[in-house]
Amino acid sequence: MSQLITVTGMVISASPIGDYDKRVVILTKERGKLSAFAKGARRPQSHLAGVTAPCSFGTFTLYEGRTSYTIHSAEISHYFAELRMDVEAAYYAFYFLEFADYYAKEGNDEREMLKLLFQTMRVLTKRILPLPLVKNIFELKAISINGEGPQVFQCVNCGCKDRPCVFSVRAGGLVCNECDRQVTDGWTLHTSTLYAMQYIISSSIEKLYTFQLSAEVMKEFDRVMERYKEVYVEKRFKSLEILRQLTELC
């Protein structure tokens, strides 16, 4: 027998099912990532049409069945409607949703990932930072939340914090000059690049988007993240490919 539950979360994807229904994936504070059916949500007059759009954040009342959830109703507090008027920011948002979908799991504690998504969407709508910087900050924090972030505070081998280090993607972070004999991909990071990475990994989500980087440092930070994702993130994101095509045209 179905029972009603209420969760707080954000819609991270929605896809058509049958003639009029949707399958919606919601990242929730209480139950991690979950999939739910939204019956009739594709009908123009359906009360579920708007609340099941990606990026919608609020409370969702669901019927919990034995093997699936069905959306009964929702109260949306943030639609992030500004993204509909900004194509570039919208595709960044789609990428962040897809990235979170890749890492989040059903039944996991995904409160930090949900908080990161919410805060990032607010930054996107306000355009308070360059979007490529927002992207790199989001990626590094999301990877770190998932426990796969680089070690940027000490040598990954001996734990030394005082000796000069190079950054090795394959080693998973900093390697000191006493341990780097077998490192083939190390490079010496700009001090500001390393500091930015340390700040992102160690700071609370509320304080993440509070700094700028010079063009030189931003370029290096971007190289670090692209290389790191090549090694540690197995998925290739369709939204990111579209975003790259879009930015090349602009």
Side-chain angles (χ1 to χ4, degrees):
M1 183 177 179
S2 298
Q3 62 177 353
L4 281 174
I5 64 167
T6 299
V7 296
T8 299
M10 180 180 290
V11 176
I12 56 178
S13 71
S15 55
I17 296 290
D19 293 331
Y20 301 108
D21 304 338
K22 285 184 182 180
R23 176 182 175 272
V24 179
V25 179
I26 309 171
L27 186 63
T28 73
K29 181 173 69 174
E30 296 83 2
R31 302 199 177 193
K33 183 173 73 173
L34 60 82
S35 297
F37 293 102
K39 295 183 177 179
R42 296 169 62 203
R43 295 180 184 275
Q45 303 304 318
S46 171
H47 69 287
L48 298 179
V51 303
T52 53
C55 295
S56 299
F57 178 90
T59 57
F60 297 82
T61 302
L62 313 173
Y63 287 111
E64 182 182 16
R66 294 174 61 184
T67 59
S68 64
Y69 297 92
T70 302
I71 299 177
H72 173 264
S73 60
E75 294 185 8
I76 303 301
S77 58
H78 294 80
Y79 286 97
F80 299 104
E82 297 91 339
L83 295 175
R84 300 172 190 170
M85 312 299 291
D86 187 336
V87 174
E88 185 182 11
Y91 273 103
Y92 273 96
F94 292 147
Y95 171 56
F96 299 148
L97 294 176
E98 192 178 359
F99 203 87
D101 192 13
Y102 169 71
Y103 274 120
K105 301 291 186 293
E106 186 173 350
N108 276 9
D109 183 350
E110 301 291 357
R111 286 175 291 181
E112 286 297 290
M113 188 67 79
L114 177 62
K115 188 187 298 184
L116 176 62
L117 264 184
F118 180 82
Q119 191 71 11
T120 304
M121 295 304 169
R122 292 182 64 188
V123 172
L124 282 181
T125 59
K126 295 178 181 179
R127 281 275 194 164
I128 60 177
L129 288 178
L131 297 184
L133 177 57
V134 175
K135 169 181 167 292
N136 287 337
I137 293 173
F138 175 88
E139 290 170 340
L140 181 55
K141 192 65 172 182
I143 291 171
S144 299
I145 288 172
N146 197 58
E148 297 180 351
Q151 171 55 263
V152 293
F153 297 95
Q154 61 189 38
C155 175
V156 297
N157 291 325
C158 69
C160 179
K161 299 180 181 180
D162 303 320
R163 288 191 287 267
C165 294
V166 294
F167 184 85
S168 167
V169 170
R170 293 199 174 279
L174 297 178
V175 183
C176 75
N177 59 4
E178 292 292 322
C179 300
D180 66 0
R181 294 174 182 83
Q182 303 301 318
V183 172
T184 59
D185 68 336
W187 81 77
T188 302
L189 295 179
H190 192 289
T191 302
S192 295
T193 306
L194 180 59
Y195 178 76
M197 295 175 70
Q198 291 172 336
Y199 181 83
I200 293 164
I201 290 173
S202 62
S203 292
S204 66
I205 290 170
E206 291 80 3
K207 296 180 179 180
L208 270 184
Y209 299 106
T210 56
F211 66 92
Q212 297 266 13
L213 296 177
S214 68
E216 177 187 5
V217 173
M218 182 61 205
K219 185 176 180 180
E220 184 174 68
F221 185 23
D222 191 63
R223 282 181 57 212
V224 170
M225 291 310 303
E226 288 304 308
R227 180 63 181 141
Y228 202 84
K229 288 186 299 175
E230 286 177 7
V231 174
Y232 295 102
V233 182
E234 296 180 357
K235 182 179 174 62
R236 294 296 173 261
F237 301 95
K238 293 181 180 179
S239 52
L240 183 56
E241 294 174 3
I242 297 172
L243 179 60
R244 284 172 175 162
Q245 294 172 4
L246 180 67
T247 53
E248 287 174 1
L249 293 173
C250 295

